[in-house]
């Protein structure tokens, strides 16, 4: 088993500030293999994430494809991205790629332009080439809180990852703290040419994050895996591992499944059984060219109960059926 370390990253907030980094070992352990499956659905257009006091939250992931100055300068694209973000309580983002530090603040300003209250956390620039990328999470402060002291990037001394996963801990707002669903998200964008090797290493990452000393059992890995749910290597062999997305393309052209939300179904009983891929072209009536300006990926999402240990409602939904509130 490869040795994994954790780098604790403390962010100074939207106003900017210096990174404070310290190193601390992470513990790993061996587990056996099993798999499970779920049903999928598609979310309805609108801003449900603005409504506090709900019984569920939606966690999403979106590779926004070279999310930098060029994309931010396109009003139509940014309007679409803001509409997407407002549909979800937490959205993991991959491929933030810019030399400036104002991409996420400007994006959050766009999200909040109509009265929403979103915030963000962002990781360090990573990558072996001069073209560095950052991971980020945007979240609705009305329904979600983040533990900013929990933020860290998992680093492997053997250089198994092109971009080390970014970790953040969250809590659902609404229920009393002792009853609220707490969960840790692990944001990842694998290297396409080494996707299986990195998925093998992600099995160790999940073990390490689960054993990082915080006592959290709800570890949810999400992002662009550059492979489908049937080819996850050792990640797909972890016990009770569940992929929220199966058999539905997640790229904009509609012919490949690259993105997923992965968790232990035994530990994360808060999963309601509802998940899906959001089709920007259909829901927002975009042409293929317009959709590709936004990204070559579609957003993916999964729904969870706001209470710890909440009983999931496993619904037999169709991939094109929109969930209701």
């Amino acid at each position: 088993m490869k040795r994994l370390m954790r780098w604790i990253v403390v962010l100074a907030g939207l106003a900017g500030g210096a990174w404070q980094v310290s190193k601390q070992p992470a513990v790993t352990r061996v587990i056996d293999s099993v798999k499970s499956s779920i049903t999928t659905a598609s979310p309805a257009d609108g801003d449900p994430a603005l409504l506090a006091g709900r019984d569920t939250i939606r966690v999403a992931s979106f590779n926004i494809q070279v999310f930098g100055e060029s994309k931010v300068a396109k009003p139509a694209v940014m309007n679409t991205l803001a509409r997407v973000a407002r549909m979800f309580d937490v959205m993991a983002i991959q491929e933030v790629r810019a030399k400036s530090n104002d991409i996420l603040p400007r994006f959050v300003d766009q999200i909040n332009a109509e009265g929403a209250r979103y915030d963000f956390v962002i990781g360090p620039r990573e990558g072996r080439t001069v073209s560095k990328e950052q991971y980020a999470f945007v979240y609705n402060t009305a329904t979600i809180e983040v533990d900013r002291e929990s933020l860290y990037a998992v680093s492997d001394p053997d250089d198994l990852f092109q971009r080390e996963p970014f970790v953040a801990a969250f809590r659902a707002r609404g229920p009393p703290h002792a009853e609220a669903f707490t969960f840790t998200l692990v944001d990842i964008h694998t290297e396409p040419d080494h996707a299986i090797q990195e998925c093998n290493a992600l099995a160790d990452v999940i073990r390490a994050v689960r054993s990082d000393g915080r006592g959290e059992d709800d570890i949810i890995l999400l992002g662009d895996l550059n492979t489908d749910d049937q080819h996850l290597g050792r990640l797909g062999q972890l016990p009770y591992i569940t992929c929220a997305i199966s058999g539905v393309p997640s790229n904009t052209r509609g012919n490949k499944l690259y993105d997923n939300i992965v968790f232990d179904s035994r530990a994360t009983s808060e999963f309601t059984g509802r998940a899906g891929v959001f089709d920007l072209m259909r829901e927002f009536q975009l042409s293929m060219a317009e959709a590709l300006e936004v990204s070559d990926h579609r957003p993916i999402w999964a729904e969870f109960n706001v209470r710890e240990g909440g009983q999931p409602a496993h619904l037999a939904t169709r991939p094109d059926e929109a969930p209701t509130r």
Side-chain angles (χ1 to χ4, degrees):
M1 182 182 297
K2 300 294 186 181
R3 184 168 58 94
L4 294 168
M5 307 293 287
R6 65 178 283 201
W7 294 88
I8 300 177
V9 183
V10 180
L11 300 184
L14 297 184
W19 294 100
Q20 300 175 4
V21 183
S22 62
K23 188 168 70 175
Q24 171 178 335
V27 180
T28 61
R29 62 186 178 85
V30 178
I31 40 186
D32 300 323
S33 58
V34 101
K35 293 202 70 172
S36 60
S37 61
I38 53 90
T39 60
T40 60
S42 298
D45 192 7
D47 298 337
L50 298 178
L51 305 175
R54 292 184 278 105
D55 292 332
T56 61
I57 57 171
R58 290 181 188 158
V59 176
S61 177
F62 195 7
N63 181 335
I64 302 183
Q65 189 194 17
V66 193
F67 191 23
E69 293 290 346
S70 177
K71 192 154 288 187
V72 171
K74 299 176 180 179
V77 169
M78 291 301 292
N79 179 61
T80 297
L81 289 172
R83 289 178 68 187
V84 169
R86 286 193 295 265
M87 296 181 64
F88 304 108
D89 298 279
V90 187
M91 186 168 75
I93 298 172
Q94 302 88 47
E95 278 202 43
V96 179
R97 195 185 299 177
K99 293 181 179 179
S100 66
N101 294 321
D102 67 345
I103 299 300
L104 261 294
R106 290 160 68 185
F107 182 35
V108 168
D109 284 345
Q110 180 97 12
I111 297 169
N112 293 340
E114 298 181 4
R117 293 182 293 156
Y118 279 71
D119 203 345
F120 77 94
V121 292
I122 190 167
R125 290 178 174 83
E126 298 180 349
R128 301 186 186 113
T129 68
V130 295
S131 180
K132 307 296 184 184
E133 296 182 16
Q134 291 172 281
Y135 299 112
F137 296 101
V138 296
Y139 62 98
N140 183 359
T141 62
T143 58
I144 297 290
E145 57 183 316
V146 65
D147 178 3
R148 289 180 178 267
E149 295 185 356
S150 72
L151 309 174
Y152 64 92
V154 175
S155 176
D156 59 315
D158 297 303
D159 195 27
L160 299 178
F161 293 102
Q162 170 76 248
R163 295 163 287 267
E164 291 86 350
F166 182 50
V167 180
F170 298 87
R171 184 195 305 270
R173 291 188 184 274
H177 274 201
E179 300 175 15
F181 176 42
T182 63
F183 54 99
T184 294
L185 298 182
V186 182
D187 199 351
I188 180 64
H189 178 199
T190 68
E191 170 63 28
D193 292 337
H194 301 94
I196 298 303
Q197 296 92 318
E198 292 196 16
C199 283
N200 286 336
L202 286 173
D204 295 332
V205 168
I206 287 182
R207 296 181 183 116
V209 173
R210 185 183 291 122
S211 304
D212 67 3
R214 292 179 299 109
E216 181 60 72
D217 63 339
D218 294 306
I219 312 300
I220 302 172
L221 184 145
L222 71 177
D224 178 4
L225 299 176
N226 276 300
T227 187
D228 63 31
D229 59 312
Q230 301 300 311
H231 299 89
L232 296 178
R234 288 197 295 111
L235 174 62
Q237 296 170 0
L238 293 178
Y240 296 94
I241 203 69
T242 296
C243 291
I245 311 301
S246 181
V248 182
S250 67
N251 67 330
T252 300
R253 297 188 184 278
N255 57 7
K256 297 288 184 180
L257 172 55
Y258 291 129
D259 309 86
N260 229 308
I261 299 172
V262 182
F263 52 91
D264 180 333
S265 61
R266 178 179 51 181
T268 308
S269 59
E270 297 81 3
F271 178 54
T272 69
R274 299 176 72 86
V277 178
F278 184 71
D279 188 341
L280 294 174
M281 291 181 61
R282 183 180 68 180
E283 299 293 341
F284 294 161
Q285 298 182 338
L286 303 178
S287 67
M288 177 63 73
E290 290 170 332
L292 287 171
E293 272 200 304
V294 177
S295 179
D296 58 351
H297 289 253
R298 298 169 175 171
I300 61 170
W301 62 277
E303 186 180 76
F304 300 86
N305 195 290
V306 297
R307 292 183 179 273
E308 193 72 35
Q311 294 300 312
H314 290 284
L315 305 174
T317 54
R318 301 188 308 271
D320 60 347
E321 181 181 346
T324 57
R325 288 294 184 193

